[in-house]
Amino acid sequence: MKGYMYIVKCSNGAFYTGSTKDLERRIDEHNNGEGANFTRKHKPVTLVYYEEYKFIDDAFAREKQVQAWSRKKKEALING
């Protein structure tokens, strides 16, 4: 089943990186206070970047990789 690695920008300017099988639903969950604890405290969020993968496991692995990156490196990814 396909999956997505995504980055959202929170209301406080911080980036949150996640993975999901349904990108639109997950962004809605974050904005409705049903997402991660961090985004609940810093909503609304705006989707700023995503990658699509054939398998959710690959998206999850990429999420973990990107989470470890500095803000500067994430910004470079977002900006291409």
Side-chain angles (χ1 to χ4, degrees):
M1 175 173 276
K2 81 175 167 180
Y4 301 89
M5 182 285 295
Y6 64 92
I7 301 174
V8 294
K9 188 170 186 177
C10 299
S11 63
N12 68 345
F15 292 127
Y16 176 86
T17 306
S19 58
T20 185
K21 296 175 186 174
D22 185 335
L23 186 58
E24 186 175 326
R25 178 187 54 80
R26 189 63 176 149
I27 300 306
D28 287 343
E29 287 175 350
H30 284 302
N31 282 319
N32 291 327
E34 302 163 3
N37 191 36
F38 183 83
T39 59
R40 267 185 238 144
K41 295 176 184 176
H42 304 287
K43 62 183 179 174
V45 303
T46 304
L47 180 66
V48 294
Y49 182 82
Y50 73 93
E51 296 174 355
E52 185 175 328
Y53 291 87
K54 187 173 181 180
F55 300 105
I56 186 63
D57 292 346
D58 295 331
F60 180 74
R62 178 69 164 157
E63 170 195 349
K64 294 305 172 192
Q65 178 187 35
V66 173
Q67 280 178 339
W69 290 0
S70 68
R71 179 179 180 89
K72 186 175 181 178
K73 192 168 181 178
K74 289 176 188 175
E75 287 173 338
L77 177 67
I78 292 164
N79 294 325

